[in-house]
């Protein structure tokens, strides 16, 4: 569970850093490694360890809602914790309690567990398969249900995802 709690901290940190809101995050300022098509790659230091992540926002977000926060898909490496390819999602709303989110990349479907406004793959194997699909795919679609019962569908481009993944892997020494 520590693995997922750390991912939650990273998601909150990324949301704070990417949206420009100041807060009390215990991490260095992220440094942009590069922009690769639809994705950006970053690195920052946290507790004397590198954290490398790639992030994108949807090209299209759909749902019958009147207000929604920022939406992000991320893949993160934390080599000091032997953690790599962690897929995480910030929905921009609180998920319905006990619900799952679904990620589709081309012809593959992945189920994510949800908590508050975030979703994660259930295990390292799923993270690795999802990261591989993103690097090789052309589109990613995430569907989820808000705490108010609103179904959302977010569509991402995957142009540059392979190059962004290479950049974060090289920076964090992940082979």
């Amino acid at each position: 569970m520590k693995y997922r709690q750390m991912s939650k901290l990273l998601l909150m940190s990324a949301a704070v850093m990417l949206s420009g809101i100041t807060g009390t995050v215990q991490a260095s300022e992220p440094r942009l490694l590069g922009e690769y098509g639809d994705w950006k790659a970053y690195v920052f230091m946290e507790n004397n360890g590198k954290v490398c992540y790639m992030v994108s926002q949807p090209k299209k977000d759909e749902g019958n809602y009147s207000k929604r926060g920022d939406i992000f898909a991320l893949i993160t490496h934390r080599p000091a914790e032997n953690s790599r390819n962690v897929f995480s999602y910030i929905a921009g709303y609180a998920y319905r309690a006990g619900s799952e989110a679904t990620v589709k990349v081309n012809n593959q479907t992945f189920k994510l567990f949800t908590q508050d406004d975030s979703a994660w793959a259930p295990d390292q194997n799923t993270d690795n398969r999802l990261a591989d699909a993103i690097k090789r795919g052309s589109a990613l679609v995430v569907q989820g249900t808000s705490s108010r019962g609103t179904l959302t569908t977010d569509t991402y481009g995957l142009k540059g995802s392979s190059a962004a993944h290479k950049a974060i892997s090289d920076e964090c020494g992940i082979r």
Side-chain angles (χ1 to χ4, degrees):
M1 190 63 178
K2 180 181 177 192
Y3 169 75
R4 299 297 170 194
Q5 289 170 336
M6 295 302 285
S7 293
K8 177 96 171 145
L9 176 61
L10 173 66
L11 284 173
M12 291 185 294
S13 299
V16 168
M17 289 180 257
L18 292 172
S19 64
I21 300 170
T22 58
T24 58
V25 176
Q26 297 295 322
S28 68
E29 196 66 30
R31 177 174 53 89
L32 179 67
L33 298 173
E35 295 185 31
Y36 306 92
D38 299 318
W39 293 78
K40 293 180 181 180
Y42 292 90
V43 62
F44 67 95
M45 295 297 292
E46 181 180 70
N47 299 330
N48 297 319
K50 275 188 180 180
V51 178
C52 302
Y53 66 97
M54 55 189 271
V55 62
S56 186
Q57 290 190 280
K59 289 182 169 283
K60 183 177 180 184
D61 55 290
E62 302 172 274
N64 187 19
Y65 51 84
S66 57
K67 183 179 173 185
R68 189 171 180 191
D70 292 332
I71 311 163
F72 299 103
L74 300 99
I75 294 177
T76 305
H77 298 322
R78 291 174 176 275
E81 297 174 16
N82 199 26
S83 170
R84 62 188 59 171
N85 290 327
V86 175
F87 180 84
S88 48
Y89 197 72
I90 300 173
Y93 60 76
Y95 280 105
R96 175 179 278 168
S99 69
E100 290 183 324
T102 302
V103 177
K104 292 181 182 176
V105 182
N106 294 344
N107 62 351
Q108 297 180 66
T109 301
F110 303 89
K111 296 289 186 183
L112 308 179
F113 72 91
T114 64
Q115 182 179 348
D116 302 324
D117 68 344
S118 302
W120 300 270
D123 54 50
Q124 184 66 57
N125 182 50
T126 305
D127 279 329
N128 290 336
R129 289 184 12 247
L130 185 48
D132 188 55
I134 288 170
K135 290 186 304 184
R136 299 174 192 277
S138 59
L140 175 138
V141 177
V142 181
Q143 290 187 311
T145 304
S146 76
S147 60
R148 296 181 180 196
T150 303
L151 176 65
T152 61
T153 302
D154 303 323
T155 304
Y156 290 78
L158 296 180
K159 180 180 178 186
S161 59
S162 184
H165 191 271
K166 181 179 181 337
I168 65 171
S169 296
D170 288 350
E171 180 68 28
C172 269
I174 304 293
R175 304 285 168 235

